[in-house]
């Protein structure tokens, strides 16, 4: 759908569509309480700024903005597999949803200043080789003084549908040395760097590459940032796992779409159905993976 049609059908009242980086179509949702931008490419929330506050989501200055590449930052939608494809190393990391073109389904604003946009993706827009089963994805983004992102997955086929998924949120922080991630105390955890499991004790601080998958965790978690003097709240739904990731300097240096020093200004706290928390949908059934992000 071209910009003129998008704006005439779904624009207005603080919702607009324009050409963004890499000529990607970007939707902007703005009201008195907050602002967010998302690319139709990947159904990718790129930014969220609560009224009068600092940007909450991080975006690499080296990010690709291209039809065949994932955007590095914001909230990548990882589906139908988290991480590497289980059997085909040629398939894209973290699934195909974040490199597919999503369609706008509806948009609006409620009386209490919540602007929302709903995008859709089905098997008709995706290469059959990646995934042979029918599905219907809906991504609903709501913006006020908090950001809500909900990925609804429906099995529209007649076979069981197995998937893993993530809302792979990148958060903007003052410096990796200034933060603690709180909320995983006592949770079982897999360290993917050495494939060992342990139980987390206390809050998470960062001094090296960190890539941890937490299980049995449905509670809210927080990023406490002494530099920005703020606490980001991450409230999950439809998820009993989470991933905390920082690539640190060596891995950042190996990623062409990630500035060598940028690991200091970001942390990922991801809302997932990953590994042990992968899901199966019977025909006709739905599952929603959601996150509400706010600043205290
Ligand atoms: O969520 C953590 C992780 O799986 C890391 O292992 C790292 O690979 C990161 O995601 C980014 O993956 P990407 O494919 O976006 O480079």
């Amino acid at each position: 759908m071209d910009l003129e049609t998008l704006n005439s059908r779904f624009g207005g009242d603080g919702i607009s569509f324009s050409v963004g980086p890499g000529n990607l179509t970007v939707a902007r949702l703005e009201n008195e309480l907050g602002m967010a931008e998302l690319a139709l490419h990947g159904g990718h929330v790129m930014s969220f700024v609560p009224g009068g506050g600092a940007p909450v989501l991080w975006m690499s200055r080296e990010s690709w903005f291209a039809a065949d590449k994932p955007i590095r930052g914001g909230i990548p939608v990882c589906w139908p597999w988290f991480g590497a494809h289980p059997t085909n190393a040629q398939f894209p990391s973290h699934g195909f949803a974040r490199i597919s073109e999503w369609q706008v389904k509806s948009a609006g604003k409620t009386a209490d200043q919540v602007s929302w946009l709903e995008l859709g993706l089905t098997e008709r827009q995706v290469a059959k080789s990646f995934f042979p089963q029918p599905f219907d994805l809906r991504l609903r983004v709501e913006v006020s003084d908090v950001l809500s992102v909900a990925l609804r997955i429906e099995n529209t086929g007649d076979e069981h549908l197995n998937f893993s998924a993530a809302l792979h949120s990148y958060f903007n922080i003052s410096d990796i040395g200034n933060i603690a991630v709180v909320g995983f105390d006592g949770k079982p955890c897999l360290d993917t760097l050495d494939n060992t499991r342990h139980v987390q004790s206390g809050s998470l601080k960062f001094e090296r590459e960190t890539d941890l998958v937490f299980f049995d965790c449905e509670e809210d978690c927080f990023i406490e940032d002494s530099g920005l003097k703020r606490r980001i709240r991450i409230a999950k739904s439809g998820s009993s796992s989470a991933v905390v990731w920082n690539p640190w300097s060596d891995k950042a240096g190996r990623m062409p779409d990630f500035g060598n020093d940028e690991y200091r200004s970001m942390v990922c706290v991801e809302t997932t159905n990953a590994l042990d928390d992968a899901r199966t949908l019977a025909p006709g059934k739905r599952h929603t993976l959601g996150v509400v992000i706010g600043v205290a």
Side-chain angles (χ1 to χ4, degrees):
M1 206 180 293
D2 63 36
L3 281 185
E4 189 181 344
T5 310
L6 283 169
N7 279 309
S8 65
R9 282 190 57 185
F10 304 105
D13 210 0
I15 297 172
S16 62
F17 298 84
S18 61
V19 177
N23 285 326
L24 298 179
T25 299
V26 171
R28 182 183 176 92
L29 288 72
E30 184 163 17
N31 57 47
E32 294 158 25
L33 301 176
M35 186 283 287
E37 291 184 318
L38 62 147
L40 301 192
H41 172 64
H44 198 119
V45 176
M46 301 198 299
S47 64
F48 167 54
V49 184
V56 174
L57 301 178
W58 177 88
M59 179 65 67
S60 170
R61 63 173 183 266
E62 306 293 339
S63 177
W64 291 307
F65 293 99
D68 60 342
K69 301 271 192 195
I71 294 169
R72 177 71 66 190
I75 305 179
V77 176
C78 302
W79 192 85
W81 60 83
F82 177 81
H85 186 273
T87 58
N88 188 330
Q90 303 308 310
F91 280 6
S93 165
H94 287 316
F96 50 74
R98 67 174 185 170
I99 54 173
S100 297
E101 295 315 300
W102 290 61
Q103 296 176 329
V104 179
K105 296 295 185 184
S106 56
K109 186 164 90 170
T110 67
D112 51 351
Q113 294 295 320
V114 176
S115 304
W116 54 273
L117 187 68
E118 191 159 307
L119 305 180
L121 185 73
T122 73
E123 76 283 357
R124 292 189 294 282
Q125 289 93 40
V126 172
K128 278 266 175 301
S129 58
F130 280 158
F131 202 68
Q133 291 180 260
F135 62 86
D136 184 288
L137 297 186
R138 292 294 172 106
L139 189 79
R140 185 175 176 90
V141 179
E142 298 183 0
V143 182
S144 59
D145 56 338
V146 297
L147 172 72
S148 169
V149 179
L151 174 68
R152 193 193 79 189
I153 303 133
E154 181 172 354
N155 179 0
T156 50
D158 49 19
E159 305 283 333
H160 278 66
L161 190 157
N162 301 312
F163 69 87
S164 54
L167 297 174
H168 193 300
S169 309
Y170 287 76
F171 291 96
N172 184 40
I173 58 174
S174 60
D175 183 85
I176 194 70
N178 291 341
I179 69 160
V181 171
V182 176
F184 298 112
D185 181 36
K187 299 297 182 186
C189 160
L190 168 69
D191 185 334
T192 68
L193 300 176
D194 62 10
N195 211 26
T196 57
R197 289 184 183 246
H198 65 271
V199 174
Q200 176 62 28
S201 173
S203 64
L204 282 167
K205 301 266 175 71
F206 300 83
E207 297 170 340
R208 65 182 66 80
E209 180 180 356
T210 303
D211 196 344
L212 301 170
V213 185
F214 292 93
F215 302 105
D216 304 341
C217 57
E218 296 173 357
E219 303 84 351
D220 295 358
C221 55
F222 301 86
I223 301 168
E224 295 183 343
D225 186 339
S226 61
L228 284 173
K229 293 184 176 35
R230 75 178 180 187
R231 192 170 196 246
I232 296 174
R233 176 172 175 262
I234 300 151
K236 306 188 304 135
S237 58
S239 159
S240 57
S241 57
V243 174
V244 176
W245 177 59
N246 185 289
W248 219 255
S249 51
D250 290 352
K251 184 159 188 177
R254 296 195 296 272
M255 293 189 285
D257 60 338
F258 199 114
N260 292 355
D261 61 347
E262 288 191 308
Y263 72 95
R264 300 220 54 101
S265 60
M266 57 69 71
V267 67
C268 280
V269 180
E270 304 158 36
T271 298
T272 62
N273 291 138
L275 304 181
D276 310 8
D277 186 28
R279 302 294 174 107
T280 296
L281 279 178
K285 294 298 182 192
R286 290 174 174 177
H287 173 72
T288 298
L289 176 65
V291 66
V292 176
I293 295 166
V295 176

